[in-house]
Amino acid sequence: MEKSSKNSVILVTGASDGIGRELCLLYAESGAKLVLAARNQNSLEDLAKECERMGAEALAVRTDVSSPEDCKKLMERAVERFGRIDILINSAGVSMSAPFESLQDLSVFQKLMNVNYLGVVHTSYYALPHLKKSQGLIVNLSSLQGKTGFPRSTGYSASKFAVQGFSDSLRIELMGTGVDVLVVSPGPIATKMNFRKFDANGIIAQEEDSKAAKRNIMSPEECARLIARSISKRERELVMTFGGKLIPWIRLFAPAFVDRMIASAVEKFYSED
Ligand SMILES: NC(=O)c1ccc[n+]([C@@H]2O[C@H](COP(=O)([O-])OP(=O)(O)OC[C@H]3O[C@@H](n4cnc5c(N)ncnc54)[C@H](OP(=O)(O)O)[C@@H]3O)[C@@H](O)[C@H]2O)c1
């Protein structure tokens, strides 16, 4: 990873926090040229300074990925500063936790699609001409919830299925161009996303940190390392956790069993305190 990313221009959305932030720090160690995108400009500026202290070059660009104009400008700023884009990592995302029938505000579905799905479409569209020149890579953060449905997550899961379908289709269109598409499907990762989700009223609800901290789930550092390994091998899919890898196979002959397994895992997740 270290040698191949030394001079690479790596653009990360959702860089201000969580998995995106960890990926930036990981690539900063190897002296990459980083473009950091998210809405929180202060967090981006702080991260850019941290990456530069580690030996990387970093450019912070305030971006709302649900805006096509912002994404167009993001790519222009990246190319203006570094001359090219080698890897686009789409990590920006928002989540939800509410049973479908409890929803009081259906705009949650629009918001989830705008960020999780259309955000990926916007950045991919405007980065593509540059990625074709560099024979680069698009990395889309999906989820195990983009492989199979999860309760309390109808809108989130649907947005991640959309990311999977978009990525698989684009990969075929790009055959022979030298541009590859990697879809990453993590299980639960210990980031703020796990206690910062749209609730039934369409408001981002904050669960107590202490409750979330007790959950024994993969760290964002480990998640970032696994992603970087898949990037260096230019893989097309990274499905995290043993259970996650098994789900598609078990679903072939026992789909109702998978549903029950997921229902009980989600119930356990929310009852742990
Ligand atoms: N954590 C998990 O358990 C988990 C599991 C499977 C998949 N994933 C996926 O992994 C990705 C990263 O998740 P995470 O856990 O790192 O989440 P996180 O810690 O909540 O970070 C989300 C990032 O997305 C950015 N973001 C949100 N809305 C945005 C917008 N409209 N425009 C630009 N940036 C936006 C946030 O920054 P600003 O608020 O500054 O914009 C933040 O940097 C997401 O796509 C998520 O769906 C996460």
Side-chain angles (χ1 to χ4, degrees):
M1 191 271 289
E2 300 210 349
K3 270 186 192 155
S4 59
S5 59
K6 170 105 181 79
N7 287 309
S8 297
V9 179
I10 304 174
L11 190 154
V12 183
T13 74
S16 64
D17 216 338
I19 300 166
R21 186 174 193 281
E22 286 307 325
L23 280 163
C24 294
L25 292 170
L26 190 63
Y27 282 114
E29 274 175 14
S30 61
K33 296 177 170 67
L34 294 162
V35 185
L36 319 174
R39 292 164 307 172
N40 187 326
Q41 180 77 28
N42 289 340
S43 301
L44 290 182
E45 299 287 358
D46 289 348
L47 179 62
K49 281 185 202 133
E50 198 170 341
C51 290
E52 280 171 351
R53 277 196 296 272
M54 293 167 79
E57 288 180 62
L59 170 71
V61 186
R62 206 212 77 86
T63 308
D64 182 340
V65 294
S66 65
S67 155
E69 296 76 25
D70 273 19
C71 295
K72 184 168 185 272
K73 282 188 199 135
L74 170 65
M75 302 312 157
E76 286 167 359
R77 293 277 312 276
V79 173
E80 202 177 276
R81 167 77 186 263
F82 295 122
R84 61 177 204 277
I85 301 169
D86 295 299
I87 305 176
L88 163 66
I89 304 179
N90 284 305
S91 190
V94 283
S95 191
M96 71 179 284
S97 175
F100 182 62
E101 277 192 300
S102 74
L103 291 171
Q104 302 299 312
D105 179 359
L106 289 179
S107 72
V108 166
F109 276 76
Q110 197 70 55
K111 288 176 192 159
L112 287 160
M113 285 307 246
N114 283 346
V115 179
N116 294 357
Y117 168 52
L118 290 175
V120 169
V121 172
H122 300 151
T123 56
S124 301
Y125 183 79
Y126 291 110
L128 196 49
H130 308 293
L131 291 169
K132 282 173 104 170
K133 282 186 203 152
S134 63
Q135 305 217 314
L137 177 68
I138 299 174
V139 182
N140 293 333
L141 269 284
S142 180
S143 166
L144 292 185
Q145 300 191 37
K147 298 284 183 195
T148 192
F150 275 61
R152 306 175 68 95
S153 286
T154 45
Y156 179 75
S157 190
S159 71
K160 294 301 188 181
F161 268 75
V163 169
Q164 181 81 49
F166 170 76
S167 307
D168 289 346
S169 306
L170 185 62
R171 187 187 298 111
I172 299 171
E173 286 189 14
L174 293 175
M175 270 167 26
T177 64
V179 181
D180 293 318
V181 181
L182 163 64
V183 179
V184 178
S185 302
I189 308 296
T191 67
K192 290 182 195 144
M193 179 166 279
N194 278 292
F195 53 95
R196 190 171 55 188
K197 301 179 174 188
F198 286 119
D199 67 9
N201 299 309
I203 293 164
I204 296 273
Q206 291 273 136
E207 189 189 278
E208 288 165 46
D209 289 30
S210 56
K211 188 172 168 185
K214 282 185 202 154
R215 292 177 182 142
N216 185 20
I217 53 181
M218 187 186 284
S219 69
E221 293 86 347
E222 175 64 7
C223 178
R225 274 194 295 275
L226 292 174
I227 295 171
R229 195 175 65 184
S230 281
I231 289 175
S232 69
K233 294 182 181 167
R234 285 184 85 103
E235 288 174 341
R236 53 185 281 149
E237 282 272 358
L238 168 61
V239 179
M240 292 183 196
T241 82
F242 182 64
K245 289 182 183 41
L246 280 183
I247 283 172
W249 299 103
I250 305 173
R251 260 182 81 163
L252 288 176
F253 55 89
F257 171 74
V258 172
D259 288 354
R260 283 196 299 278
M261 208 173 71
I262 288 169
S264 108
V266 170
E267 199 181 317
K268 185 166 175 278
F269 188 87
Y270 283 100
S271 63
E272 277 169 1
D273 50 17

